[in-house]
Amino acid sequence: MKLKFIATGAMAIACASAAHAQSAGSFILGTGWLHFSPQDSSSEITVVSRGGSPINRSIPNTGASIGDSDTIGFTALYFVTDNIAVEGVMGVPPSFDIGGEGILAPYGKLGSAKQWSPTLLLKYYFMQAQSRLRPYLGIGVSRVWFSDAAITNQQFLANPLLGGPTSVDVESKWVPVFNGGFSFQVTDHWYAGLSISYLPLKTTATLTSTSATSVGNLTSVSKADIKLNPIVTYINVGYRF
């Protein structure tokens, strides 16, 4: 009888542990710190047209750079099975500083832009559902677009290179996401985690400048291809419902 009682108790503890694990049907909401580190490079700025007439002339030794940025991230994770989960990721749009390269480097910060990149991931969790530490690998897709892009450096705007007030438009893109990390069960409901993602992102920035002439305003359009390829680090906490 005593052995039967001990065995029954052990089974109850095991079931309770399974009930509080990352198993099929588990839903976890999380938040944390997102750090974007672009591995950026840029083509030379090309003047596409001026006053409506095509030019297509590259300006030697010019380019743009993008700085690092931090923001708050939010995630919603659902376990389809004990090992397979889907996750949605969204952050407060971080603001990136745009700098100049080559002959534009002395101007320092040229402007800024905010990035939106909602992401959907399919993740595979290794080890058993009851394991406290679970590494994972994931793959997914992100829709990346930019808002509030602006050139704000007045010295740069006065340069004949652009010729006047300039607006910026950055092309939106669908990009793949490669993800890996681990999750650690702190209590029955609370989790902590770390993930690293890589987004192979290449986009085009279009600069539209307007300068005043004796016969009216003259519009110039310039473009630059920019590789961002950000590495995104996410340190988070989550609560299992």
Side-chain angles (χ1 to χ4, degrees):
M1 179 64 72
K2 185 175 181 181
L3 290 174
K4 183 177 179 180
F5 177 77
I6 293 174
T8 303
M11 290 178 63
I13 292 172
C15 291
S17 175
H20 296 296
Q22 291 175 321
S23 55
S26 295
F27 179 65
I28 299 173
L29 289 179
T31 186
W33 170 69
L34 278 168
H35 177 72
F36 292 79
S37 180
Q39 312 302 299
D40 61 308
S41 62
S42 169
S43 68
E44 294 179 338
I45 295 175
T46 299
V47 180
V48 178
S49 65
R50 181 164 291 154
S53 300
I55 295 180
N56 294 319
R57 177 176 60 86
S58 295
I59 303 174
N61 198 23
T62 59
S65 63
I66 308 296
D68 290 10
S69 188
D70 301 284
T71 191
I72 298 173
F74 302 96
T75 54
L77 177 71
Y78 179 75
F79 279 82
V80 181
T81 70
D82 286 358
N83 297 96
I84 298 174
V86 291
E87 183 178 49
V89 185
M90 183 66 189
V92 175
S95 181
F96 291 89
D97 288 344
I98 303 171
E101 291 188 336
I103 61 174
L104 305 181
Y107 290 101
K109 178 182 174 181
L110 303 181
S112 62
K114 290 183 178 180
Q115 176 187 304
W116 302 72
S117 51
T119 300
L120 184 64
L121 292 169
L122 179 66
K123 303 166 74 173
Y124 184 85
Y125 281 75
F126 298 92
M127 305 178 70
Q128 299 298 315
Q130 294 78 24
S131 301
R132 294 178 69 88
L133 180 66
R134 300 192 70 186
Y136 60 80
L137 291 175
I139 189 170
V141 65
S142 180
R143 178 63 174 176
V144 181
W145 72 93
F146 297 83
S147 65
D148 301 325
I151 300 297
T152 56
N153 187 310
Q154 296 304 312
Q155 282 187 310
F156 177 63
L157 290 175
N159 189 308
L161 177 70
L162 297 179
T166 300
S167 62
V168 184
D169 180 69
V170 184
E171 183 183 13
S172 301
K173 289 282 189 175
W174 287 99
V175 295
V177 181
F178 303 96
N179 173 259
F182 65 86
S183 173
F184 180 76
Q185 182 178 357
V186 181
T187 69
D188 286 347
H189 289 278
W190 286 99
Y191 291 82
L194 169 68
S195 76
I196 297 177
S197 300
Y198 174 71
L199 289 74
L201 172 60
K202 180 180 179 180
T203 187
T204 300
T206 301
L207 296 82
T208 304
S209 308
T210 303
S211 57
T213 69
S214 58
V215 294
N217 291 333
L218 183 69
T219 299
S220 299
V221 177
S222 305
K223 292 181 181 289
D225 293 326
I226 303 173
K227 289 183 179 180
L228 294 176
N229 298 346
I231 294 175
V232 184
T233 305
Y234 183 43
I235 299 175
N236 64 91
V237 294
Y239 184 85
R240 184 188 62 81
F241 290 88

